[in-house]
Amino acid sequence: MLHLRLITPSDKTDSVVRLIEKTVGATHLVVMQGAARNPAGDVVMCDVAREAGDELLGELRELEIDKCGSIAIENIDLSLSERADKARDDAPGEGADAVLWEHLADATHEESTLSFTYIAFITLATMIAACGVVLDNAILIVGAMAVGPEFGPLAGLCTALVRRAPRLALRSAMALLVGFAFAMAVTVVFSYFMDSIELFSREQLDAERPNTAFVYAPDAFSFIVAVLAGIAGTLSLTSAKSGLLVGVAISVTTVPAAANAAVALSYGDTKQTWGSTEQLLLNLLGIILAGTLTLLAQKFFWAKQRERDAKKAQA
């Protein structure tokens, strides 16, 4: 269930209340007239089943409540109410399958912002991965994958393509390009420093590395795993199961590939540099393709589900 808290101008409150009352899956309606001060207006609250949330949000935005008032949404972890149970039963479809497009757009917009925090995390992750590839240490590689924040802008790019949002697409692409370019540049300098204090060496890079050699040897599995991870990551975002993103992060080799390319570049090893770059691009392409197709499939099947439910209601 979702909890909605709205601030509405007094002249629109009746329209909002009627909209909520006719929404299948909405319950626990509360209206507090004149309770809001900034902006001035009424406060309207209700609970709504997740599967009915996206349609209700769209209609509230058509009333321009987001412009003249406020729309706040919270997830309800526990609701002990027979009315809430009935609302979930009456709402069409399953809550786990519902996509809150406004929530997804807002979340990916925040995660794809080229901020100091984003740059810091992707740079630190790449430097950790650099230590992992030189030492052939799989634990460091997994740790770097978990730290890397690159799935945020990848999800933002997928969302932008489906929703045809050029600003979000540009923001996400910039975060990816600038983030990886900066992280790799810093890692090249880091590699020079580690070599100067004799912690990195060309011999370590050229030696057999059974645990980490995959980061510069792309093959069909590299793309297949990226596609599967892209599907899993997108589903975890749209179903509000963000905890699964850690598993997605350690399934792909974007950050380790970037790190190996940077270290190889510092030693002038063009073969490993190009191999790692190909691995990076294959992973990015696979995730973007899979994420976009997953969102399109969810949009299509959810629309079909709503059509079937509407026909049943009319029968």
PDB file of all heavy atoms in Angstrom, residues 132-133 136-142 145 208-219 221-222 225 250-257 260 272 275-280 282-283:
ATOM      1  N   GLY A 132      42.297  -4.895  -7.037  1.00  0.00           N
ATOM      2  CA  GLY A 132      41.820  -6.262  -7.215  1.00  0.00           C
ATOM      3  C   GLY A 132      42.385  -6.935  -8.454  1.00  0.00           C
ATOM      4  O   GLY A 132      42.784  -8.106  -8.406  1.00  0.00           O
ATOM      5  N   VAL A 133      42.436  -6.210  -9.579  1.00  0.00           N
ATOM      6  CA  VAL A 133      42.917  -6.839 -10.813  1.00  0.00           C
ATOM      7  C   VAL A 133      44.427  -7.057 -10.770  1.00  0.00           C
ATOM      8  O   VAL A 133      44.929  -8.065 -11.294  1.00  0.00           O
ATOM      9  CB  VAL A 133      42.520  -6.012 -12.062  1.00  0.00           C
ATOM     10  CG1 VAL A 133      41.011  -5.965 -12.219  1.00  0.00           C
ATOM     11  CG2 VAL A 133      43.091  -4.599 -12.014  1.00  0.00           C
ATOM     12  N   ASP A 136      44.969  -9.884  -8.438  1.00  0.00           N
ATOM     13  CA  ASP A 136      44.147 -11.046  -8.807  1.00  0.00           C
ATOM     14  C   ASP A 136      43.299 -11.495  -7.619  1.00  0.00           C
ATOM     15  O   ASP A 136      43.177 -12.677  -7.321  1.00  0.00           O
ATOM     16  CB  ASP A 136      45.027 -12.196  -9.298  1.00  0.00           C
ATOM     17  CG  ASP A 136      44.196 -13.272 -10.011  1.00  0.00           C
ATOM     18  OD1 ASP A 136      43.203 -12.905 -10.665  1.00  0.00           O
ATOM     19  OD2 ASP A 136      44.536 -14.462  -9.889  1.00  0.00           O
ATOM     20  N   ASN A 137      42.684 -10.509  -6.953  1.00  0.00           N
ATOM     21  CA  ASN A 137      41.912 -10.743  -5.738  1.00  0.00           C
ATOM     22  C   ASN A 137      40.429 -10.593  -6.040  1.00  0.00           C
ATOM     23  O   ASN A 137      39.934  -9.481  -6.249  1.00  0.00           O
ATOM     24  CB  ASN A 137      42.355  -9.767  -4.644  1.00  0.00           C
ATOM     25  CG  ASN A 137      41.744 -10.095  -3.295  1.00  0.00           C
ATOM     26  OD1 ASN A 137      40.558 -10.366  -3.190  1.00  0.00           O
ATOM     27  ND2 ASN A 137      42.565 -10.066  -2.263  1.00  0.00           N
ATOM     28  N   ALA A 138      39.708 -11.702  -6.081  1.00  0.00           N
ATOM     29  CA  ALA A 138      38.282 -11.664  -6.434  1.00  0.00           C
ATOM     30  C   ALA A 138      37.448 -10.935  -5.390  1.00  0.00           C
ATOM     31  O   ALA A 138      36.421 -10.330  -5.713  1.00  0.00           O
ATOM     32  CB  ALA A 138      37.765 -13.087  -6.611  1.00  0.00           C
ATOM     33  N   ILE A 139      37.881 -10.984  -4.126  1.00  0.00           N
ATOM     34  CA  ILE A 139      37.120 -10.312  -3.063  1.00  0.00           C
ATOM     35  C   ILE A 139      37.112  -8.801  -3.290  1.00  0.00           C
ATOM     36  O   ILE A 139      36.083  -8.137  -3.129  1.00  0.00           O
ATOM     37  CB  ILE A 139      37.714 -10.660  -1.684  1.00  0.00           C
ATOM     38  CG1 ILE A 139      37.543 -12.147  -1.400  1.00  0.00           C
ATOM     39  CG2 ILE A 139      37.054  -9.822  -0.588  1.00  0.00           C
ATOM     40  CD1 ILE A 139      38.168 -12.605  -0.105  1.00  0.00           C
ATOM     41  N   LEU A 140      38.260  -8.256  -3.663  1.00  0.00           N
ATOM     42  CA  LEU A 140      38.320  -6.820  -3.943  1.00  0.00           C
ATOM     43  C   LEU A 140      37.472  -6.459  -5.156  1.00  0.00           C
ATOM     44  O   LEU A 140      36.841  -5.398  -5.190  1.00  0.00           O
ATOM     45  CB  LEU A 140      39.772  -6.393  -4.174  1.00  0.00           C
ATOM     46  CG  LEU A 140      40.694  -6.420  -2.949  1.00  0.00           C
ATOM     47  CD1 LEU A 140      42.115  -6.028  -3.351  1.00  0.00           C
ATOM     48  CD2 LEU A 140      40.177  -5.486  -1.868  1.00  0.00           C
ATOM     49  N   ILE A 141      37.434  -7.335  -6.149  1.00  0.00           N
ATOM     50  CA  ILE A 141      36.619  -7.098  -7.340  1.00  0.00           C
ATOM     51  C   ILE A 141      35.145  -7.042  -6.963  1.00  0.00           C
ATOM     52  O   ILE A 141      34.398  -6.145  -7.380  1.00  0.00           O
ATOM     53  CB  ILE A 141      36.856  -8.193  -8.394  1.00  0.00           C
ATOM     54  CG1 ILE A 141      38.281  -8.105  -8.940  1.00  0.00           C
ATOM     55  CG2 ILE A 141      35.853  -8.078  -9.527  1.00  0.00           C
ATOM     56  CD1 ILE A 141      38.572  -6.850  -9.713  1.00  0.00           C
ATOM     57  N   VAL A 142      34.695  -8.003  -6.153  1.00  0.00           N
ATOM     58  CA  VAL A 142      33.295  -8.023  -5.716  1.00  0.00           C
ATOM     59  C   VAL A 142      32.978  -6.774  -4.900  1.00  0.00           C
ATOM     60  O   VAL A 142      31.922  -6.162  -5.055  1.00  0.00           O
ATOM     61  CB  VAL A 142      33.010  -9.302  -4.905  1.00  0.00           C
ATOM     62  CG1 VAL A 142      31.632  -9.229  -4.260  1.00  0.00           C
ATOM     63  CG2 VAL A 142      33.110 -10.530  -5.793  1.00  0.00           C
ATOM     64  N   MET A 145      32.555  -3.839  -7.202  1.00  0.00           N
ATOM     65  CA  MET A 145      31.268  -3.907  -7.899  1.00  0.00           C
ATOM     66  C   MET A 145      30.134  -3.406  -7.017  1.00  0.00           C
ATOM     67  O   MET A 145      29.219  -2.706  -7.477  1.00  0.00           O
ATOM     68  CB  MET A 145      30.984  -5.347  -8.326  1.00  0.00           C
ATOM     69  CG  MET A 145      31.878  -5.893  -9.430  1.00  0.00           C
ATOM     70  SD  MET A 145      31.503  -7.644  -9.726  1.00  0.00           S
ATOM     71  CE  MET A 145      32.574  -8.002 -11.103  1.00  0.00           C
ATOM     72  N   GLU A 208      49.661 -14.536 -15.126  1.00  0.00           N
ATOM     73  CA  GLU A 208      48.366 -15.212 -15.217  1.00  0.00           C
ATOM     74  C   GLU A 208      47.496 -14.795 -14.029  1.00  0.00           C
ATOM     75  O   GLU A 208      47.940 -14.824 -12.877  1.00  0.00           O
ATOM     76  CB  GLU A 208      48.568 -16.731 -15.205  1.00  0.00           C
ATOM     77  CG  GLU A 208      49.211 -17.260 -16.472  1.00  0.00           C
ATOM     78  CD  GLU A 208      49.205 -18.774 -16.498  1.00  0.00           C
ATOM     79  OE1 GLU A 208      48.560 -19.376 -15.614  1.00  0.00           O
ATOM     80  OE2 GLU A 208      49.862 -19.346 -17.385  1.00  0.00           O
ATOM     81  N   ARG A 209      46.263 -14.415 -14.332  1.00  0.00           N
ATOM     82  CA  ARG A 209      45.335 -13.978 -13.282  1.00  0.00           C
ATOM     83  C   ARG A 209      44.032 -14.752 -13.433  1.00  0.00           C
ATOM     84  O   ARG A 209      43.061 -14.254 -13.996  1.00  0.00           O
ATOM     85  CB  ARG A 209      45.091 -12.469 -13.397  1.00  0.00           C
ATOM     86  CG  ARG A 209      46.294 -11.616 -13.020  1.00  0.00           C
ATOM     87  CD  ARG A 209      45.993 -10.142 -13.101  1.00  0.00           C
ATOM     88  NE  ARG A 209      46.045  -9.658 -14.474  1.00  0.00           N
ATOM     89  CZ  ARG A 209      45.324  -8.620 -14.925  1.00  0.00           C
ATOM     90  NH1 ARG A 209      44.487  -8.001 -14.137  1.00  0.00           N
ATOM     91  NH2 ARG A 209      45.445  -8.235 -16.174  1.00  0.00           N
ATOM     92  N   PRO A 210      43.983 -15.961 -12.948  1.00  0.00           N
ATOM     93  CA  PRO A 210      42.803 -16.810 -13.160  1.00  0.00           C
ATOM     94  C   PRO A 210      41.520 -16.255 -12.559  1.00  0.00           C
ATOM     95  O   PRO A 210      40.432 -16.542 -13.052  1.00  0.00           O
ATOM     96  CB  PRO A 210      43.202 -18.136 -12.482  1.00  0.00           C
ATOM     97  CG  PRO A 210      44.295 -17.765 -11.518  1.00  0.00           C
ATOM     98  CD  PRO A 210      45.030 -16.644 -12.165  1.00  0.00           C
ATOM     99  N   ASN A 211      41.643 -15.447 -11.499  1.00  0.00           N
ATOM    100  CA  ASN A 211      40.438 -14.931 -10.838  1.00  0.00           C
ATOM    101  C   ASN A 211      39.878 -13.674 -11.493  1.00  0.00           C
ATOM    102  O   ASN A 211      38.691 -13.365 -11.308  1.00  0.00           O
ATOM    103  CB  ASN A 211      40.735 -14.626  -9.366  1.00  0.00           C
ATOM    104  CG  ASN A 211      41.023 -15.881  -8.570  1.00  0.00           C
ATOM    105  OD1 ASN A 211      40.380 -16.904  -8.770  1.00  0.00           O
ATOM    106  ND2 ASN A 211      41.998 -15.801  -7.675  1.00  0.00           N
ATOM    107  N   THR A 212      40.722 -12.945 -12.225  1.00  0.00           N
ATOM    108  CA  THR A 212      40.276 -11.649 -12.753  1.00  0.00           C
ATOM    109  C   THR A 212      40.573 -11.462 -14.236  1.00  0.00           C
ATOM    110  O   THR A 212      40.330 -10.376 -14.776  1.00  0.00           O
ATOM    111  CB  THR A 212      40.941 -10.489 -11.968  1.00  0.00           C
ATOM    112  OG1 THR A 212      42.367 -10.614 -12.060  1.00  0.00           O
ATOM    113  CG2 THR A 212      40.521 -10.507 -10.511  1.00  0.00           C
ATOM    114  N   ALA A 213      41.050 -12.478 -14.917  1.00  0.00           N
ATOM    115  CA  ALA A 213      41.386 -12.329 -16.338  1.00  0.00           C
ATOM    116  C   ALA A 213      40.148 -12.026 -17.185  1.00  0.00           C
ATOM    117  O   ALA A 213      40.263 -11.464 -18.284  1.00  0.00           O
ATOM    118  CB  ALA A 213      42.073 -13.587 -16.852  1.00  0.00           C
ATOM    119  N   PHE A 214      38.971 -12.367 -16.671  1.00  0.00           N
ATOM    120  CA  PHE A 214      37.739 -12.152 -17.452  1.00  0.00           C
ATOM    121  C   PHE A 214      37.465 -10.679 -17.730  1.00  0.00           C
ATOM    122  O   PHE A 214      36.734 -10.352 -18.658  1.00  0.00           O
ATOM    123  CB  PHE A 214      36.545 -12.758 -16.704  1.00  0.00           C
ATOM    124  CG  PHE A 214      36.257 -12.108 -15.379  1.00  0.00           C
ATOM    125  CD1 PHE A 214      35.364 -11.045 -15.293  1.00  0.00           C
ATOM    126  CD2 PHE A 214      36.862 -12.568 -14.217  1.00  0.00           C
ATOM    127  CE1 PHE A 214      35.098 -10.451 -14.069  1.00  0.00           C
ATOM    128  CE2 PHE A 214      36.593 -11.974 -12.994  1.00  0.00           C
ATOM    129  CZ  PHE A 214      35.714 -10.916 -12.916  1.00  0.00           C
ATOM    130  N   VAL A 215      38.063  -9.778 -16.951  1.00  0.00           N
ATOM    131  CA  VAL A 215      37.730  -8.362 -17.118  1.00  0.00           C
ATOM    132  C   VAL A 215      38.334  -7.782 -18.403  1.00  0.00           C
ATOM    133  O   VAL A 215      37.909  -6.705 -18.842  1.00  0.00           O
ATOM    134  CB  VAL A 215      38.175  -7.514 -15.901  1.00  0.00           C
ATOM    135  CG1 VAL A 215      37.488  -7.987 -14.638  1.00  0.00           C
ATOM    136  CG2 VAL A 215      39.681  -7.514 -15.742  1.00  0.00           C
ATOM    137  N   TYR A 216      39.318  -8.458 -19.000  1.00  0.00           N
ATOM    138  CA  TYR A 216      39.872  -7.950 -20.253  1.00  0.00           C
ATOM    139  C   TYR A 216      39.735  -8.983 -21.381  1.00  0.00           C
ATOM    140  O   TYR A 216      40.374  -8.851 -22.429  1.00  0.00           O
ATOM    141  CB  TYR A 216      41.348  -7.536 -20.088  1.00  0.00           C
ATOM    142  CG  TYR A 216      42.292  -8.628 -19.646  1.00  0.00           C
ATOM    143  CD1 TYR A 216      42.901  -9.454 -20.579  1.00  0.00           C
ATOM    144  CD2 TYR A 216      42.587  -8.800 -18.303  1.00  0.00           C
ATOM    145  CE1 TYR A 216      43.784 -10.454 -20.175  1.00  0.00           C
ATOM    146  CE2 TYR A 216      43.467  -9.793 -17.884  1.00  0.00           C
ATOM    147  CZ  TYR A 216      44.058 -10.613 -18.825  1.00  0.00           C
ATOM    148  OH  TYR A 216      44.924 -11.601 -18.419  1.00  0.00           O
ATOM    149  N   ALA A 217      38.910  -9.987 -21.157  1.00  0.00           N
ATOM    150  CA  ALA A 217      38.683 -11.011 -22.189  1.00  0.00           C
ATOM    151  C   ALA A 217      37.187 -11.169 -22.427  1.00  0.00           C
ATOM    152  O   ALA A 217      36.585 -12.163 -21.999  1.00  0.00           O
ATOM    153  CB  ALA A 217      39.314 -12.332 -21.765  1.00  0.00           C
ATOM    154  N   PRO A 218      36.551 -10.203 -23.095  1.00  0.00           N
ATOM    155  CA  PRO A 218      35.095 -10.276 -23.303  1.00  0.00           C
ATOM    156  C   PRO A 218      34.711 -11.430 -24.228  1.00  0.00           C
ATOM    157  O   PRO A 218      35.437 -11.768 -25.152  1.00  0.00           O
ATOM    158  CB  PRO A 218      34.773  -8.929 -23.952  1.00  0.00           C
ATOM    159  CG  PRO A 218      36.044  -8.497 -24.602  1.00  0.00           C
ATOM    160  CD  PRO A 218      37.147  -9.014 -23.715  1.00  0.00           C
ATOM    161  N   ASP A 219      33.559 -12.022 -23.928  1.00  0.00           N
ATOM    162  CA  ASP A 219      33.029 -13.078 -24.784  1.00  0.00           C
ATOM    163  C   ASP A 219      31.504 -12.995 -24.768  1.00  0.00           C
ATOM    164  O   ASP A 219      30.932 -12.034 -24.251  1.00  0.00           O
ATOM    165  CB  ASP A 219      33.514 -14.455 -24.316  1.00  0.00           C
ATOM    166  CG  ASP A 219      33.208 -14.716 -22.840  1.00  0.00           C
ATOM    167  OD1 ASP A 219      32.313 -14.041 -22.291  1.00  0.00           O
ATOM    168  OD2 ASP A 219      33.872 -15.577 -22.240  1.00  0.00           O
ATOM    169  N   PHE A 221      29.397 -14.605 -23.055  1.00  0.00           N
ATOM    170  CA  PHE A 221      28.836 -14.629 -21.711  1.00  0.00           C
ATOM    171  C   PHE A 221      28.831 -13.230 -21.082  1.00  0.00           C
ATOM    172  O   PHE A 221      27.978 -12.930 -20.245  1.00  0.00           O
ATOM    173  CB  PHE A 221      29.608 -15.601 -20.825  1.00  0.00           C
ATOM    174  CG  PHE A 221      29.231 -17.033 -21.044  1.00  0.00           C
ATOM    175  CD1 PHE A 221      30.073 -17.881 -21.748  1.00  0.00           C
ATOM    176  CD2 PHE A 221      28.032 -17.534 -20.571  1.00  0.00           C
ATOM    177  CE1 PHE A 221      29.730 -19.200 -21.970  1.00  0.00           C
ATOM    178  CE2 PHE A 221      27.675 -18.852 -20.775  1.00  0.00           C
ATOM    179  CZ  PHE A 221      28.520 -19.693 -21.480  1.00  0.00           C
ATOM    180  N   SER A 222      29.793 -12.404 -21.457  1.00  0.00           N
ATOM    181  CA  SER A 222      29.832 -11.044 -20.921  1.00  0.00           C
ATOM    182  C   SER A 222      28.549 -10.303 -21.251  1.00  0.00           C
ATOM    183  O   SER A 222      27.938  -9.646 -20.386  1.00  0.00           O
ATOM    184  CB  SER A 222      31.028 -10.283 -21.506  1.00  0.00           C
ATOM    185  OG  SER A 222      32.243 -10.929 -21.216  1.00  0.00           O
ATOM    186  N   VAL A 225      25.338 -12.139 -19.476  1.00  0.00           N
ATOM    187  CA  VAL A 225      25.225 -11.816 -18.058  1.00  0.00           C
ATOM    188  C   VAL A 225      24.767 -10.377 -17.865  1.00  0.00           C
ATOM    189  O   VAL A 225      23.952 -10.079 -16.981  1.00  0.00           O
ATOM    190  CB  VAL A 225      26.566 -12.065 -17.342  1.00  0.00           C
ATOM    191  CG1 VAL A 225      26.526 -11.524 -15.912  1.00  0.00           C
ATOM    192  CG2 VAL A 225      26.894 -13.550 -17.320  1.00  0.00           C
ATOM    193  N   ILE A 250      27.034  -6.844  -8.419  1.00  0.00           N
ATOM    194  CA  ILE A 250      28.185  -7.749  -8.426  1.00  0.00           C
ATOM    195  C   ILE A 250      28.056  -8.827  -9.493  1.00  0.00           C
ATOM    196  O   ILE A 250      28.797  -9.805  -9.482  1.00  0.00           O
ATOM    197  CB  ILE A 250      28.393  -8.398  -7.043  1.00  0.00           C
ATOM    198  CG1 ILE A 250      27.168  -9.219  -6.623  1.00  0.00           C
ATOM    199  CG2 ILE A 250      28.713  -7.347  -6.001  1.00  0.00           C
ATOM    200  CD1 ILE A 250      27.338  -9.947  -5.304  1.00  0.00           C
ATOM    201  N   SER A 251      27.101  -8.634 -10.423  1.00  0.00           N
ATOM    202  CA  SER A 251      26.947  -9.576 -11.531  1.00  0.00           C
ATOM    203  C   SER A 251      27.620  -9.080 -12.804  1.00  0.00           C
ATOM    204  O   SER A 251      27.840  -9.864 -13.728  1.00  0.00           O
ATOM    205  CB  SER A 251      25.462  -9.826 -11.817  1.00  0.00           C
ATOM    206  OG  SER A 251      24.818 -10.352 -10.691  1.00  0.00           O
ATOM    207  N   VAL A 252      27.906  -7.799 -12.866  1.00  0.00           N
ATOM    208  CA  VAL A 252      28.469  -7.222 -14.093  1.00  0.00           C
ATOM    209  C   VAL A 252      29.846  -6.636 -13.810  1.00  0.00           C
ATOM    210  O   VAL A 252      30.183  -6.333 -12.676  1.00  0.00           O
ATOM    211  CB  VAL A 252      27.534  -6.138 -14.672  1.00  0.00           C
ATOM    212  CG1 VAL A 252      26.257  -6.757 -15.192  1.00  0.00           C
ATOM    213  CG2 VAL A 252      27.213  -5.074 -13.632  1.00  0.00           C
ATOM    214  N   THR A 253      30.625  -6.478 -14.873  1.00  0.00           N
ATOM    215  CA  THR A 253      32.037  -6.116 -14.707  1.00  0.00           C
ATOM    216  C   THR A 253      32.354  -4.740 -15.266  1.00  0.00           C
ATOM    217  O   THR A 253      33.409  -4.531 -15.852  1.00  0.00           O
ATOM    218  CB  THR A 253      32.922  -7.171 -15.400  1.00  0.00           C
ATOM    219  OG1 THR A 253      32.523  -7.292 -16.765  1.00  0.00           O
ATOM    220  CG2 THR A 253      32.796  -8.505 -14.724  1.00  0.00           C
ATOM    221  N   THR A 254      31.440  -3.798 -15.088  1.00  0.00           N
ATOM    222  CA  THR A 254      31.692  -2.459 -15.600  1.00  0.00           C
ATOM    223  C   THR A 254      32.872  -1.794 -14.899  1.00  0.00           C
ATOM    224  O   THR A 254      33.849  -1.387 -15.541  1.00  0.00           O
ATOM    225  CB  THR A 254      30.433  -1.588 -15.443  1.00  0.00           C
ATOM    226  OG1 THR A 254      29.929  -1.715 -14.107  1.00  0.00           O
ATOM    227  CG2 THR A 254      29.351  -2.008 -16.412  1.00  0.00           C
ATOM    228  N   VAL A 255      32.802  -1.701 -13.580  1.00  0.00           N
ATOM    229  CA  VAL A 255      33.868  -1.037 -12.817  1.00  0.00           C
ATOM    230  C   VAL A 255      35.194  -1.794 -12.907  1.00  0.00           C
ATOM    231  O   VAL A 255      36.245  -1.180 -13.161  1.00  0.00           O
ATOM    232  CB  VAL A 255      33.430  -0.829 -11.350  1.00  0.00           C
ATOM    233  CG1 VAL A 255      34.621  -0.452 -10.479  1.00  0.00           C
ATOM    234  CG2 VAL A 255      32.359   0.263 -11.273  1.00  0.00           C
ATOM    235  N   PRO A 256      35.232  -3.126 -12.719  1.00  0.00           N
ATOM    236  CA  PRO A 256      36.515  -3.836 -12.870  1.00  0.00           C
ATOM    237  C   PRO A 256      37.122  -3.688 -14.258  1.00  0.00           C
ATOM    238  O   PRO A 256      38.352  -3.570 -14.392  1.00  0.00           O
ATOM    239  CB  PRO A 256      36.135  -5.297 -12.587  1.00  0.00           C
ATOM    240  CG  PRO A 256      34.936  -5.208 -11.722  1.00  0.00           C
ATOM    241  CD  PRO A 256      34.176  -4.025 -12.224  1.00  0.00           C
ATOM    242  N   ALA A 257      36.276  -3.686 -15.301  1.00  0.00           N
ATOM    243  CA  ALA A 257      36.803  -3.514 -16.659  1.00  0.00           C
ATOM    244  C   ALA A 257      37.415  -2.129 -16.824  1.00  0.00           C
ATOM    245  O   ALA A 257      38.489  -1.976 -17.421  1.00  0.00           O
ATOM    246  CB  ALA A 257      35.693  -3.733 -17.679  1.00  0.00           C
ATOM    247  N   ASN A 260      40.791  -2.127 -14.972  1.00  0.00           N
ATOM    248  CA  ASN A 260      41.858  -2.833 -15.672  1.00  0.00           C
ATOM    249  C   ASN A 260      42.332  -2.050 -16.891  1.00  0.00           C
ATOM    250  O   ASN A 260      43.530  -2.023 -17.210  1.00  0.00           O
ATOM    251  CB  ASN A 260      41.374  -4.220 -16.099  1.00  0.00           C
ATOM    252  CG  ASN A 260      42.534  -5.138 -16.446  1.00  0.00           C
ATOM    253  OD1 ASN A 260      43.164  -5.715 -15.558  1.00  0.00           O
ATOM    254  ND2 ASN A 260      42.823  -5.282 -17.733  1.00  0.00           N
ATOM    255  N   GLN A 272      45.372  -5.229 -23.369  1.00  0.00           N
ATOM    256  CA  GLN A 272      44.467  -5.292 -22.226  1.00  0.00           C
ATOM    257  C   GLN A 272      43.574  -4.057 -22.150  1.00  0.00           C
ATOM    258  O   GLN A 272      42.415  -4.144 -21.717  1.00  0.00           O
ATOM    259  CB  GLN A 272      45.259  -5.447 -20.923  1.00  0.00           C
ATOM    260  CG  GLN A 272      45.831  -6.828 -20.707  1.00  0.00           C
ATOM    261  CD  GLN A 272      46.184  -7.086 -19.252  1.00  0.00           C
ATOM    262  OE1 GLN A 272      45.451  -6.696 -18.354  1.00  0.00           O
ATOM    263  NE2 GLN A 272      47.304  -7.768 -19.022  1.00  0.00           N
ATOM    264  N   GLY A 275      40.825  -4.676 -24.671  1.00  0.00           N
ATOM    265  CA  GLY A 275      39.987  -5.778 -24.210  1.00  0.00           C
ATOM    266  C   GLY A 275      39.078  -5.360 -23.066  1.00  0.00           C
ATOM    267  O   GLY A 275      37.883  -5.686 -23.041  1.00  0.00           O
ATOM    268  N   SER A 276      39.641  -4.616 -22.116  1.00  0.00           N
ATOM    269  CA  SER A 276      38.845  -4.139 -20.981  1.00  0.00           C
ATOM    270  C   SER A 276      37.799  -3.124 -21.423  1.00  0.00           C
ATOM    271  O   SER A 276      36.671  -3.112 -20.901  1.00  0.00           O
ATOM    272  CB  SER A 276      39.763  -3.513 -19.933  1.00  0.00           C
ATOM    273  OG  SER A 276      40.696  -4.449 -19.450  1.00  0.00           O
ATOM    274  N   THR A 277      38.160  -2.267 -22.380  1.00  0.00           N
ATOM    275  CA  THR A 277      37.205  -1.284 -22.888  1.00  0.00           C
ATOM    276  C   THR A 277      36.035  -1.966 -23.593  1.00  0.00           C
ATOM    277  O   THR A 277      34.879  -1.579 -23.433  1.00  0.00           O
ATOM    278  CB  THR A 277      37.900  -0.312 -23.856  1.00  0.00           C
ATOM    279  OG1 THR A 277      38.994   0.331 -23.176  1.00  0.00           O
ATOM    280  CG2 THR A 277      36.925   0.745 -24.348  1.00  0.00           C
ATOM    281  N   GLU A 278      36.337  -3.014 -24.354  1.00  0.00           N
ATOM    282  CA  GLU A 278      35.270  -3.784 -25.010  1.00  0.00           C
ATOM    283  C   GLU A 278      34.362  -4.432 -23.966  1.00  0.00           C
ATOM    284  O   GLU A 278      33.136  -4.463 -24.123  1.00  0.00           O
ATOM    285  CB  GLU A 278      35.876  -4.856 -25.914  1.00  0.00           C
ATOM    286  CG  GLU A 278      36.536  -4.294 -27.172  1.00  0.00           C
ATOM    287  CD  GLU A 278      37.199  -5.386 -27.986  1.00  0.00           C
ATOM    288  OE1 GLU A 278      36.966  -6.582 -27.687  1.00  0.00           O
ATOM    289  OE2 GLU A 278      37.956  -5.060 -28.915  1.00  0.00           O
ATOM    290  N   GLN A 279      34.968  -4.973 -22.899  1.00  0.00           N
ATOM    291  CA  GLN A 279      34.176  -5.573 -21.818  1.00  0.00           C
ATOM    292  C   GLN A 279      33.253  -4.532 -21.180  1.00  0.00           C
ATOM    293  O   GLN A 279      32.073  -4.799 -20.929  1.00  0.00           O
ATOM    294  CB  GLN A 279      35.127  -6.140 -20.763  1.00  0.00           C
ATOM    295  CG  GLN A 279      34.456  -6.785 -19.558  1.00  0.00           C
ATOM    296  CD  GLN A 279      33.919  -8.155 -19.865  1.00  0.00           C
ATOM    297  OE1 GLN A 279      32.818  -8.283 -20.392  1.00  0.00           O
ATOM    298  NE2 GLN A 279      34.684  -9.187 -19.538  1.00  0.00           N
ATOM    299  N   LEU A 280      33.781  -3.350 -20.943  1.00  0.00           N
ATOM    300  CA  LEU A 280      32.984  -2.266 -20.356  1.00  0.00           C
ATOM    301  C   LEU A 280      31.817  -1.889 -21.253  1.00  0.00           C
ATOM    302  O   LEU A 280      30.667  -1.788 -20.802  1.00  0.00           O
ATOM    303  CB  LEU A 280      33.884  -1.049 -20.105  1.00  0.00           C
ATOM    304  CG  LEU A 280      33.196   0.243 -19.646  1.00  0.00           C
ATOM    305  CD1 LEU A 280      32.500   0.038 -18.316  1.00  0.00           C
ATOM    306  CD2 LEU A 280      34.221   1.379 -19.557  1.00  0.00           C
ATOM    307  N   LEU A 282      30.429  -3.648 -23.704  1.00  0.00           N
ATOM    308  CA  LEU A 282      29.482  -4.754 -23.820  1.00  0.00           C
ATOM    309  C   LEU A 282      28.530  -4.786 -22.630  1.00  0.00           C
ATOM    310  O   LEU A 282      27.324  -4.996 -22.786  1.00  0.00           O
ATOM    311  CB  LEU A 282      30.230  -6.086 -23.909  1.00  0.00           C
ATOM    312  CG  LEU A 282      30.594  -6.602 -25.299  1.00  0.00           C
ATOM    313  CD1 LEU A 282      31.374  -7.907 -25.169  1.00  0.00           C
ATOM    314  CD2 LEU A 282      29.355  -6.819 -26.150  1.00  0.00           C
ATOM    315  N   ASN A 283      29.064  -4.579 -21.433  1.00  0.00           N
ATOM    316  CA  ASN A 283      28.228  -4.581 -20.236  1.00  0.00           C
ATOM    317  C   ASN A 283      27.252  -3.422 -20.235  1.00  0.00           C
ATOM    318  O   ASN A 283      26.067  -3.593 -19.916  1.00  0.00           O
ATOM    319  CB  ASN A 283      29.119  -4.536 -18.986  1.00  0.00           C
ATOM    320  CG  ASN A 283      29.616  -5.899 -18.566  1.00  0.00           C
ATOM    321  OD1 ASN A 283      28.997  -6.571 -17.754  1.00  0.00           O
ATOM    322  ND2 ASN A 283      30.733  -6.322 -19.125  1.00  0.00           N
TER     323      ASN A 283
END
